Amino acid sequence: MDFYSAYAQGFARIAAVTLPVHLANPAANAAAVIEQARACHDDHVAVAVFPELCLTGYSVDDLFLQDTLLEAVQEAIAEIVEASADLMTALVVGAPLVQGNRVYNCAVVVHRGSVLGVAPKSYLPNYREFYERRWFAPGDDRELEWITVAGQDVRFGPDLIFRCLDVPGLDLHVEVCEDLWVPVPPSAEAALAGATVLVNLSGSPITVARAEDRRLLVRSASSRCAAAYVYAAAGQGESTTDLSWDGQTMVYECGSLLGESERFPDGPRRTVVDVDLDLVRQERLRQVTFDDNRRTHAERVQRFRDVEWELDPPAGDIGLLRKVDRYPFVPDDPERLALDCYEAYNIQVSGLEQRLSSIGSPQAVIGVSGGLDSTHALIVACKAMDRLGRPRSDVLAFTMPGFATGSTTKAYATRLSEALGVTFEEIDIRPAAEQMLADLGHAYSRGEKLYDVTFENVQAGLRYDYLFRLANQRGGIVVGTGDLSELALGWCTYGVGDQMSHYTVNAGVPKTLVQHLIRWVISHGEFGAETNEVLREILAQEITPELIPIEEGKKPQATEDSVGPYNLQDFTLALVVRHGFRPRKIAFLAWHAWKDIDAGEWPPGFPADARVAYQLEDIRSWLEVFVKRFFANQFKRSALPNGPKVSPSGTMSPRGDWRMPSDAKGTAWLAEIERDVPVA
C-alpha cells in the first residue's frame, strides 16, 4: 500500500477549467484546451472539465448551423484526441455535434487517444436571453445511442456513467449548464445510479447575483446527491453584444466548498482539488434514504450505461490539494466558529432547561474542579436557570478536594462559583477515601506510594457518590460534566463516577471545542467581568485529573500523557464516527494537517504558544492508543445517561449515533496500522 499517495488513499484530483475562447475558431480553441490539458497532466489531474461549447464559443448564435464550423469542430476534437494520447488526464470538452437531423450541445469525454463518450445537453433554455432551441435539439430522449466523433463510434446520450476501473469510486457523470437548473437534474438520477463525481459544462452569462445562484445550486446538488460537483463556466472572449461572462469555476463535495477560481479573469484559470471518494461512499452508506430513493426511481436509474476506462494514476507523494482542518470540530472561519459556538452552547442550555422543567424543576447539583469541563457545565447550568427565571442559587456547586487537588484549581472553582452567584460548598473527600483504601487493604493505607487505578477511582467514585446523595438530600439532579472526547477514550470512572449522572450536558462536546465555547461565552457577554476574568485564567491551564499527588522532581499528572494529545484524538474521533475512515487514511490526513506548524489555518483566538506540530511517528503511536482505548471502553458508552447531541460528527450515545458491542476487538484496525502506516 502506497501510504503517501493521495490516489491510494481514496482521493482523485479534479480540475474545473475556464479559458479565453476564440469565437468560431475551433482550431485555436483546441490548442488552448490542449495547453491546459498538459498543465493538468503535469498536476496529476484525473479529470479536467472545460466550459460549455468551448470549442466554438457559446455566443456564436446562428453560426452553430454552419457546415464550416461544424466540420472544424470535428477536426478540433481529432486534434485534442491525438494530443491526449500521452496525457493521464481525462478531458471533458464542450462542442456542437450533429446527430441525425439535428445539432446537439454536447460534452465530449476524451482520454488517452480515445473518445470515451458524448453526453448531449438534456434541457435547453429558451427564455429571457436564451434561444438555444433555435439551434439545438434537447438530448433528454437520446438514450442507448451511438455517435461518430473524430472517426470513432462511441456511446451517445445523457445516460452515461464513466467508471474508472483503477481508481475505485471515480464514477463520472456529465451534464450541461441548464440541466442543473431543472427540478430533477440528470445528475440526480446518475448519482442514484452510482455516479460520484458530477460535472457541469456551463456557458452561463453573468448578471447581478447569478454567481450566488450557481453556488446555491452546485452546493445543494453536491449535498443532496452526496457527491462531488464540478462546475466550469465560460468567460473571457465570449461575445459581449448583449451579455457578459465571468468564467466562474468551483468544486463542492457533499455540500462543502473545495475550491473556486476568481471571476472575470484575464487568461485561463484552473480550480484544482482532491476529491475524497471515500467520503462520498461513506456518506451514501450512512444515509440509508439515499438508496431508498434509488428504489423509488429504479426504472429511470436502471437505464444508465457504464463506460469503463483506466486512469493509471501516479504513485508516490503528489501532495494533497484540499484543506484538511486540524480541528474538525472547530471551524477556522471566525463567523462560522461564532455561529457553531452559539448553537452548541444553546443546544446544551436548552437541553438542560427542558430536562429541569420536565421533571419538576429540581436543583442542579454539579461538581466543580476548576478544570475546563466542569467550568463549562457550570456556566451552562447557570444560563439554564437564567432562562427559566430561577435564581442561580438553585445551582448547587461542590468542590471536593482529594489527595492531589492543587490550590490553583481549587481557587478557580471557588472564585468562579462566587462570581456566578451559585450555592457553593466544599466537601473534603480525603477522610472517606483514606477509610475506603484502608477497608480495601490498599498499600497506600500502609504508607506505600502506590498510585494505581484503584487509588484514582476511589477518589473519582467518591466524588460522584457524594453528588448523587446530595441530589437525593436536596431535591436535585446531578449534572454530568464529562465530554465527548473522554467518552471516546474511556477517560472516565464507570458507574458511580464521572461516567454517570442524571443528565450530562457536555457529552456531545469534544475537548477541543470546549475552550472555544468558553471563549465565545466571554466575548459575547453572557456573564459579568469578574466571571470572565476567572474563565480566562482557567483556559490557560494544562488538562489534569489531579488524582495522583505531585512528587518532588516529577512532572504533575497530565491527562494527555496517558490518552494522547486531544488535538490528534479529536481529529481521529471525528473521522471514525462521522466517516468510518480506515486508520491509514486517518494517519495520512493527520500527517497533512499537523506536520507543519506554519502551514494552514488555526482557529480564531487560538494562542500562538499553544500551536504544535506532530510527525508521522507520533501520529501513528497515538492512533494506536486511540484504537485500543476506543474498543476497550465501549462498555462505558453503552450505559450513558441522557444528554444532547451537539456536533454533526456524532455522539457516543447508544441511543444516538454510536452502537457497538462492548466485547468487540480492534484487532483489524491495529493490524492495518502495523501494516500500512509507516513509522516515519
Side-chain angles (χ1 to χ4, degrees), residues 6 16 81 95 152 240 242 265 278 329 335 358 383 408 414 473 543 650 672 678:
V81 170
Q152 300 181 26
T240 57
D242 292 299
D278 287 342
F329 296 104
E335 291 186 6
S358 65
K383 185 56 66 172
T408 301
T414 303
Q473 181 189 51
I543 301 169
E672 181 175 300

Side-chain angles (χ1 to χ4, degrees), residues 11 226 253-256 276-287 322 324-325 328-329 570-583 585-586 589 647-650 657-658 669:
F11 295 94
E253 175 191 273
C254 297
S256 297
D276 193 339
L277 302 171
D278 287 342
L279 185 146
V280 169
R281 178 175 50 80
Q282 280 282 343
E283 282 296 289
R284 293 180 178 184
L285 288 177
R286 279 167 166 69
Q287 187 177 325
R322 65 185 282 128
V324 183
D325 290 322
F329 296 104
D570 277 2
F571 185 93
T572 299
L573 173 62
L575 300 188
V576 167
V577 176
R578 181 67 178 85
H579 299 304
F581 284 169
R582 56 176 67 246
K585 180 158 189 167
I586 294 172
L589 289 169
S647 169
S649 291
D657 291 274
W658 193 254
W669 285 259

Side-chain angles (χ1 to χ4, degrees), residues 365 398 400 427 465-476:
V365 176
F398 296 88
M400 292 171 280
I427 298 176
D465 201 351
Y466 275 110
L467 290 174
F468 276 104
R469 303 297 75 79
L470 286 162
N472 295 155
Q473 181 189 51
R474 306 190 187 188

Side-chain angles (χ1 to χ4, degrees), residues 312-596:
D312 190 19
D317 185 4
I318 61 170
L320 187 64
L321 301 184
R322 65 185 282 128
K323 180 183 177 184
V324 183
D325 290 322
R326 289 180 174 91
Y327 296 97
F329 296 104
V330 185
D332 299 326
D333 177 71
E335 291 186 6
R336 181 71 249 180
L337 177 58
L339 180 58
D340 282 11
C341 288
Y342 161 79
E343 290 182 336
Y345 179 64
N346 281 283
I347 287 169
Q348 293 176 273
V349 171
S350 62
L352 181 57
E353 180 186 359
Q354 170 64 20
R355 179 52 55 99
L356 291 170
S357 297
S358 65
I359 59 175
S361 299
Q363 299 186 96
V365 176
I366 186 167
V368 291
S369 66
L372 284 175
D373 289 345
S374 66
T375 291
H376 185 60
L378 181 61
I379 59 181
V380 166
C382 288
K383 185 56 66 172
M385 291 301 181
D386 291 348
R387 286 175 45 160
L388 289 167
R390 295 172 57 183
R392 291 184 187 170
S393 57
D394 282 354
V395 177
L396 311 184
F398 296 88
T399 189
M400 292 171 280
F403 297 124
T405 300
S407 58
T408 301
T409 52
K410 180 180 174 183
Y412 287 150
T414 303
R415 289 170 53 202
L416 180 62
S417 298
E418 291 174 349
L420 288 168
V422 302
T423 300
F424 177 71
E425 295 181 38
E426 177 181 328
I427 298 176
D428 188 346
I429 67 166
R430 285 172 293 187
E434 288 173 345
Q435 180 64 53
M436 182 174 286
L437 288 167
D439 292 343
L440 293 173
H442 192 274
Y444 176 81
S445 65
R446 300 190 298 271
E448 297 181 27
K449 294 181 178 180
L450 178 61
Y451 305 131
D452 58 4
V453 67
T454 304
F455 179 86
E456 294 186 39
N457 282 349
V458 160
Q459 298 169 79
L462 277 171
R463 286 182 174 128
Y464 270 79
D465 201 351
Y466 275 110
L467 290 174
F468 276 104
R469 303 297 75 79
L470 286 162
N472 295 155
Q473 181 189 51
R474 306 190 187 188
I477 63 168
V478 177
V479 177
T481 62
D483 64 47
L484 178 65
S485 308
E486 292 176 340
L487 293 170
L489 294 164
W491 192 247
C492 52
T493 301
Y494 184 73
V496 183
D498 54 332
Q499 176 263 351
M500 187 50 62
S501 64
H502 290 114
Y503 191 77
T504 175
V505 294
N506 286 342
V509 179
K511 186 75 77 177
T512 49
L513 181 59
V514 172
Q515 60 181 299
H516 295 281
L517 286 170
I518 295 174
R519 288 194 186 98
W520 180 87
V521 166
I522 294 170
S523 65
H524 282 72
E526 298 289 306
F527 300 98
E530 184 181 358
T531 297
N532 290 342
E533 181 182 349
V534 183
L535 292 176
R536 290 189 186 95
E537 294 178 37
I538 291 171
L539 283 169
Q541 299 303 299
E542 183 175 19
I543 301 169
T544 172
E546 292 192 319
L547 293 171
I548 297 177
I550 300 174
E551 297 186 68
E552 187 175 350
K554 292 186 177 181
K555 180 185 175 184
Q557 183 184 22
T559 297
E560 292 178 301
D561 290 344
S562 298
V563 302
Y566 281 114
N567 292 335
L568 289 178
Q569 304 302 43
D570 277 2
F571 185 93
T572 299
L573 173 62
L575 300 188
V576 167
V577 176
R578 181 67 178 85
H579 299 304
F581 284 169
R582 56 176 67 246
R584 71 186 186 210
K585 180 158 189 167
I586 294 172
F588 175 80
L589 289 169
W591 179 63
H592 277 280
W594 287 99
K595 65 181 177 179
D596 185 351

Side-chain angles (χ1 to χ4, degrees), residues 19-87:
L19 69 176
V21 69
H22 304 271
L23 287 178
N25 190 343
N29 291 324
V33 167
I34 291 168
E35 179 183 23
Q36 291 303 305
R38 287 176 176 148
C40 288
H41 168 84
D42 292 341
D43 285 342
H44 310 291
V45 171
V47 179
V49 181
F50 293 82
E52 180 180 12
L53 296 168
C54 63
L55 291 186
T56 58
Y58 179 88
S59 54
V60 300
D61 295 348
D62 286 352
L63 296 181
F64 284 125
L65 300 178
Q66 293 288 311
D67 282 341
T68 300
L69 184 69
L70 294 170
E71 290 174 5
V73 166
Q74 289 284 343
E75 294 169 1
I77 295 173
E79 292 176 11
I80 293 172
V81 170
E82 182 179 359
S84 74
D86 59 352
L87 301 181

Side-chain angles (χ1 to χ4, degrees), residues 605-634:
F606 196 90
D609 59 1
R611 299 179 182 184
V612 294
Y614 301 103
Q615 298 310 307
L616 188 56
E617 182 179 7
D618 300 320
I619 292 167
R620 186 184 193 271
S621 175
W622 290 119
L623 183 57
E624 286 185 336
V625 170
F626 180 94
V627 171
K628 290 174 181 177
R629 295 194 65 95
F630 188 78
F631 276 88
N633 287 282
Q634 174 60 26

